[in-house]
Amino acid sequence: TLGGIYWQQGNLSQAIVHVERSLNLYRKLRYTFGMANAHTNLGILFYTLGRWREAAESFAQSDVLRRESGYVTGQALNLKNLGQLHRSMGDHTQASRDLERSLAISRRLGDNFLVVCAELELGTVAAIQARWDEASSHLAVAQELASSAGDDEAIQARWLEAYLRGGKGDISGALTA
């Protein structure tokens, strides 16, 4: 879509305009899957721009549509997005709730990629709160399943490992992680 092209070019404000146009078209067509995806894309765009209230509203709308349509994989992704958003907002309790729900759905689906994503995010929330053992446990699970993860998840796993080592006082280990 045109919104996707603007997004790839880094023109996020124009991307939002065109994703909103797509959303309006999907509404007229009553195309639930398209509406859910458009809301998710808007949520990610708003999150990237630091417009957290709008991101939360978009993710919540997408979640409702995904639940209504029974798109369970989309629910897991949405909950991961909400968890990241709540983490960024400093609401670690809600972030953990969202991410635990995402993890449960991902495990039920047998989707190792989504499990890795949720485990890494849960580990990040725990590390931010200096809950090192819990963070290490999440990282270990993610690393065990890492073959199904992409480059972004591998980078996040390395970052989390370095953060954990540094938090535990192992500076040289943090530098080599």
Side-chain angles (χ1 to χ4, degrees):
T1 66
L2 195 52
I5 292 169
Y6 279 114
W7 193 342
Q8 291 298 316
Q9 293 175 341
N11 188 341
L12 303 186
S13 59
Q14 278 301 304
I16 289 170
V17 167
H18 291 283
V19 172
E20 287 175 337
R21 285 182 183 163
S22 295
L23 176 59
N24 289 331
L25 178 61
Y26 295 141
R27 279 187 185 126
K28 288 178 185 173
L29 297 172
R30 297 181 186 185
Y31 181 44
T32 305
F33 187 80
M35 289 186 293
N37 283 341
H39 278 296
T40 296
N41 289 338
L42 285 171
I44 294 168
L45 288 162
F46 290 138
Y47 173 82
T48 302
L49 292 169
R51 293 165 55 181
W52 292 345
R53 182 188 53 77
E54 292 163 291
E57 290 170 4
S58 293
F59 289 142
Q61 282 294 316
S62 180
D63 190 50
V64 168
L65 292 164
R66 291 185 192 289
R67 276 188 279 124
E68 285 175 359
S69 68
Y71 181 44
V72 182
T73 300
Q75 289 175 307
L77 285 166
N78 245 18
L79 288 164
K80 180 193 71 77
N81 290 335
L82 280 167
Q84 288 175 309
L85 174 65
H86 287 118
R87 173 182 46 81
S88 295
M89 295 172 71
D91 187 350
H92 300 129
T93 301
Q94 186 59 50
S96 293
R97 269 184 255 178
D98 296 334
L99 295 166
E100 288 289 351
R101 287 180 55 213
S102 176
L103 180 60
I105 292 169
S106 301
R107 283 187 174 145
R108 193 169 60 244
L109 290 171
D111 190 322
N112 285 346
F113 175 77
L114 292 178
V115 170
V116 168
C117 291
E119 290 284 4
L120 287 172
E121 285 297 327
L122 282 163
T124 300
V125 170
I128 289 168
Q129 297 177 305
R131 297 187 334 252
W132 306 118
D133 290 342
E134 182 182 339
S136 294
S137 176
H138 288 296
L139 176 61
V141 172
Q143 287 175 324
E144 185 178 317
L145 299 172
S147 64
S148 65
D151 291 340
D152 290 345
E153 289 71 31
I155 291 167
Q156 186 177 355
R158 296 288 302 270
W159 174 88
L160 182 55
E161 183 177 359
Y163 189 87
L164 288 170
R165 288 178 182 225
K168 292 179 178 181
D170 179 8
I171 302 304
S172 64
L175 294 172
T176 59

